[in-house]
Amino acid sequence: SALKYHERAMAIRTKANNQRGMAFSYNNLGNVYIRLKDYKKAEEYMQKSLKIKREQKDKKGTAGSLINLGEIYMALNKNKEAESFFLEGVNLAHAAKAGDFFRIGVGNLADLNFETGNYKTAALYYIRQKAISDSLKQEATNKQITELTSQYEVEKKDAEIALQQEQLKLKEAQN
């Protein structure tokens, strides 16, 4: 099961004192416990992950842990705590240019506001989430276009060089 796999990974990382790896394992274990709806254990692991990520000044990872903690508190109907964690996570994700965490956090804020009856605020967050999603898709498309263009240019240059080499061989053969 996923839980056993993550527990084994945690044991290996702990033995090696791999702090970064331990933070990932704590996060993964927390996510497993979220899915199992064991929010107390999920919170415990997420807090441990958050502590390490903050110590390592890992802004992106910290943002992810904050958003995960917000999800736990939202599931427990601790809406003020959830909002606080979501907002901190979203702000940090934005500052760290962690687009996926930013999108997820804004979506969670939309869901939280919808569930608490703040429909106008929820709608604004949903619109913002859609804009972020579109922007991330556009960035990915632009990156793909740039890579393909670059690949085409390299192949074109290689073909030109090969043609010139063939022309040189023909010229030498004629002399």
Coordinates of all heavy atoms in Angstrom, one line a residue, residues 133-170:
S133 N -5.0 29.0 -14.3 CA -5.0 27.8 -15.1 C -4.7 28.1 -16.6 O -3.8 27.5 -17.2 CB -6.3 27.0 -15.0 OG -6.3 26.2 -14.0
D134 N -5.4 29.1 -17.1 CA -5.2 29.4 -18.5 C -3.7 30.0 -18.7 O -3.1 29.6 -19.7 CB -6.2 30.5 -19.0 CG -7.6 30.0 -19.1 OD1 -7.8 28.7 -19.0 OD2 -8.5 30.8 -19.2
S135 N -3.3 30.8 -17.8 CA -1.9 31.3 -17.9 C -0.9 30.2 -17.8 O 0.1 30.2 -18.6 CB -1.7 32.3 -16.7 OG -0.4 32.8 -16.7
L136 N -1.1 29.2 -16.9 CA -0.1 28.1 -16.8 C -0.1 27.3 -18.1 O 0.9 26.8 -18.5 CB -0.5 27.3 -15.6 CG -0.2 27.9 -14.2 CD1 -0.8 27.0 -13.1 CD2 1.3 28.2 -14.0
K137 N -1.3 27.1 -18.7 CA -1.4 26.3 -19.9 C -0.7 27.1 -21.0 O 0.0 26.5 -21.9 CB -2.8 26.0 -20.3 CG -3.5 25.0 -19.4 CD -5.0 24.8 -19.8 CE -5.6 23.9 -18.8 NZ -7.1 23.9 -19.0
Q138 N -0.9 28.4 -21.1 CA -0.2 29.2 -22.1 C 1.3 29.2 -21.9 O 2.0 29.1 -22.9 CB -0.7 30.7 -22.0 CG -0.2 31.5 -23.2 CD -0.7 31.0 -24.5 OE1 -1.8 30.7 -24.8 NE2 0.3 30.9 -25.5
E139 N 1.8 29.2 -20.7 CA 3.2 29.1 -20.4 C 3.8 27.8 -20.9 O 4.8 27.8 -21.6 CB 3.5 29.3 -18.9 CG 3.5 30.7 -18.4 CD 3.8 30.7 -16.9 OE1 4.5 29.8 -16.4 OE2 3.3 31.6 -16.3
A140 N 3.1 26.7 -20.7 CA 3.5 25.4 -21.1 C 3.5 25.3 -22.6 O 4.4 24.8 -23.2 CB 2.6 24.3 -20.5
T141 N 2.5 25.9 -23.3 CA 2.4 25.9 -24.7 C 3.6 26.7 -25.3 O 4.2 26.2 -26.3 CB 1.1 26.4 -25.2 OG1 0.0 25.6 -24.7 CG2 1.0 26.5 -26.7
N142 N 3.8 27.9 -24.7 CA 4.9 28.7 -25.2 C 6.3 28.0 -25.1 O 7.1 28.1 -26.0 CB 4.9 30.0 -24.5 CG 3.8 30.9 -24.9 OD1 3.1 30.7 -25.9 ND2 3.5 32.0 -24.1
K143 N 6.4 27.3 -24.0 CA 7.7 26.6 -23.7 C 7.8 25.5 -24.8 O 8.9 25.3 -25.3 CB 7.7 26.0 -22.3 CG 9.0 25.2 -22.0 CD 8.9 24.7 -20.6 CE 10.2 23.9 -20.3 NZ 10.2 23.3 -19.0
Q144 N 6.8 24.8 -25.1 CA 6.8 23.7 -26.1 C 7.1 24.3 -27.4 O 7.9 23.7 -28.2 CB 5.4 23.0 -26.1 CG 5.4 21.6 -26.5 CD 4.1 20.9 -26.3 OE1 3.0 21.6 -26.2 NE2 4.1 19.6 -26.2
I145 N 6.5 25.4 -27.8 CA 6.8 26.0 -29.1 C 8.2 26.4 -29.2 O 8.9 26.2 -30.2 CB 5.8 27.2 -29.3 CG1 4.4 26.7 -29.5 CG2 6.3 28.1 -30.5 CD1 3.3 27.8 -29.5
T146 N 8.8 27.0 -28.1 CA 10.2 27.4 -28.1 C 11.1 26.2 -28.3 O 12.0 26.3 -29.1 CB 10.5 28.1 -26.8 OG1 9.7 29.3 -26.7 CG2 11.9 28.6 -26.7
E147 N 10.8 25.1 -27.6 CA 11.6 23.9 -27.7 C 11.5 23.3 -29.1 O 12.5 22.9 -29.7 CB 11.1 22.9 -26.7 CG 11.5 23.2 -25.3 CD 10.9 22.3 -24.2 OE1 10.1 21.4 -24.6 OE2 11.1 22.5 -23.0
L148 N 10.3 23.3 -29.7 CA 10.2 22.8 -31.1 C 10.9 23.6 -32.1 O 11.5 23.1 -33.0 CB 8.7 22.6 -31.4 CG 8.0 21.5 -30.7 CD1 6.5 21.6 -30.9 CD2 8.5 20.1 -31.1
T149 N 10.8 24.9 -31.9 CA 11.4 25.9 -32.8 C 12.9 25.7 -32.7 O 13.6 25.6 -33.8 CB 11.1 27.3 -32.5 OG1 9.6 27.5 -32.6 CG2 11.7 28.3 -33.4
S150 N 13.4 25.6 -31.5 CA 14.9 25.4 -31.3 C 15.3 24.0 -32.0 O 16.4 24.0 -32.7 CB 15.2 25.4 -29.8 OG 16.5 25.1 -29.6
Q151 N 14.5 23.0 -31.7 CA 14.9 21.7 -32.3 C 14.9 21.8 -33.9 O 15.8 21.2 -34.5 CB 13.8 20.7 -31.9 CG 14.1 19.3 -32.4 CD 13.0 18.3 -31.9 OE1 12.2 18.6 -31.0 NE2 13.0 17.1 -32.5
Y152 N 13.9 22.5 -34.4 CA 13.8 22.7 -35.9 C 15.0 23.4 -36.4 O 15.6 23.0 -37.4 CB 12.5 23.4 -36.3 CG 12.5 23.9 -37.7 CD1 12.3 23.0 -38.7 CD2 12.8 25.2 -38.0 CE1 12.2 23.4 -40.0 CE2 12.8 25.6 -39.4 CZ 12.5 24.7 -40.4 OH 12.5 25.1 -41.7
E153 N 15.4 24.5 -35.7 CA 16.6 25.2 -36.1 C 17.9 24.4 -36.1 O 18.7 24.5 -37.0 CB 16.8 26.5 -35.3 CG 15.7 27.5 -35.4 CD 15.6 28.1 -36.9 OE1 16.6 28.2 -37.5 OE2 14.5 28.4 -37.3
V154 N 18.0 23.6 -35.1 CA 19.2 22.7 -35.0 C 19.2 21.7 -36.1 O 20.2 21.5 -36.8 CB 19.2 22.0 -33.6 CG1 20.3 20.9 -33.6 CG2 19.5 23.0 -32.5
E155 N 18.1 21.1 -36.4 CA 18.0 20.1 -37.4 C 18.2 20.8 -38.8 O 18.9 20.2 -39.7 CB 16.6 19.4 -37.4 CG 16.4 18.5 -36.2 CD 15.0 17.9 -36.1 OE1 14.2 18.2 -36.9 OE2 14.8 17.2 -35.1
K156 N 17.7 22.0 -39.0 CA 17.9 22.7 -40.2 C 19.4 23.0 -40.4 O 19.9 22.8 -41.5 CB 17.1 24.0 -40.2 CG 17.1 24.8 -41.4 CD 16.3 26.0 -41.3 CE 16.5 27.1 -42.3 NZ 15.8 28.3 -42.1
K157 N 20.1 23.4 -39.4 CA 21.5 23.7 -39.4 C 22.3 22.5 -39.7 O 23.2 22.5 -40.5 CB 21.9 24.4 -38.1 CG 23.3 25.1 -38.2 CD 23.3 26.1 -39.2 CE 23.5 27.5 -38.7 NZ 23.6 28.5 -39.8
D158 N 21.9 21.4 -39.0 CA 22.6 20.1 -39.3 C 22.4 19.7 -40.7 O 23.4 19.2 -41.4 CB 22.0 19.0 -38.4 CG 22.5 19.2 -36.9 OD1 23.4 20.0 -36.6 OD2 21.9 18.5 -36.0
A159 N 21.3 19.9 -41.3 CA 21.0 19.5 -42.7 C 21.9 20.4 -43.6 O 22.4 19.9 -44.6 CB 19.5 19.6 -43.0
E160 N 22.0 21.6 -43.3 CA 22.8 22.6 -44.1 C 24.3 22.1 -44.1 O 25.0 22.1 -45.1 CB 22.7 24.0 -43.6 CG 21.4 24.7 -43.9 CD 21.2 26.0 -43.3 OE1 22.2 26.6 -42.8 OE2 20.1 26.6 -43.3
I161 N 24.8 21.8 -42.9 CA 26.1 21.3 -42.8 C 26.4 20.0 -43.5 O 27.4 19.9 -44.3 CB 26.5 21.1 -41.3 CG1 26.5 22.5 -40.6 CG2 27.8 20.4 -41.1 CD1 26.6 22.4 -39.1
A162 N 25.4 19.1 -43.4 CA 25.6 17.9 -44.2 C 25.6 18.1 -45.7 O 26.4 17.5 -46.4 CB 24.4 16.9 -43.8
L163 N 24.7 19.0 -46.1 CA 24.7 19.4 -47.6 C 26.0 20.0 -48.0 O 26.5 19.6 -49.1 CB 23.5 20.3 -47.8 CG 23.4 20.8 -49.3 CD1 23.1 19.6 -50.2 CD2 22.2 21.8 -49.4
Q164 N 26.5 20.9 -47.2 CA 27.8 21.5 -47.5 C 28.9 20.5 -47.6 O 29.8 20.6 -48.4 CB 28.1 22.6 -46.5 CG 27.3 23.9 -46.7 CD 27.5 24.9 -45.6 OE1 28.2 24.6 -44.6 NE2 26.9 26.1 -45.7
Q165 N 28.9 19.6 -46.7 CA 29.9 18.5 -46.6 C 29.9 17.6 -47.9 O 30.9 17.3 -48.5 CB 29.8 17.7 -45.4 CG 30.3 18.4 -44.1 CD 30.0 17.6 -42.9 OE1 29.2 16.7 -42.8 NE2 30.7 18.0 -41.8
E166 N 28.6 17.3 -48.3 CA 28.4 16.5 -49.5 C 28.9 17.3 -50.8 O 29.6 16.8 -51.6 CB 27.0 16.1 -49.7 CG 26.5 15.0 -48.8 CD 27.3 13.7 -49.0 OE1 27.5 13.3 -50.2 OE2 27.7 13.2 -48.0
Q167 N 28.6 18.6 -50.8 CA 29.1 19.5 -51.9 C 30.6 19.5 -52.0 O 31.2 19.5 -53.0 CB 28.4 20.9 -51.8 CG 27.0 20.9 -52.1 CD 26.3 22.2 -51.8 OE1 26.9 23.1 -51.1 NE2 25.1 22.4 -52.4
L168 N 31.2 19.6 -50.8 CA 32.7 19.6 -50.7 C 33.3 18.3 -51.3 O 34.2 18.3 -52.0 CB 33.1 19.9 -49.3 CG 33.5 21.3 -48.9 CD1 33.8 21.4 -47.4 CD2 34.8 21.8 -49.7
K169 N 32.7 17.2 -50.9 CA 33.1 15.9 -51.3 C 33.0 15.8 -52.8 O 33.9 15.3 -53.5 CB 32.3 14.8 -50.6 CG 32.7 14.5 -49.2 CD 31.9 13.4 -48.6 CE 32.1 13.2 -47.2 NZ 31.2 12.2 -46.6
L170 N 31.9 16.3 -53.4 CA 31.7 16.3 -54.8 C 32.7 17.1 -55.5 O 33.3 16.7 -56.6 CB 30.3 16.7 -55.2 CG 29.2 15.7 -55.0 CD1 27.8 16.4 -55.3 CD2 29.3 14.5 -55.9

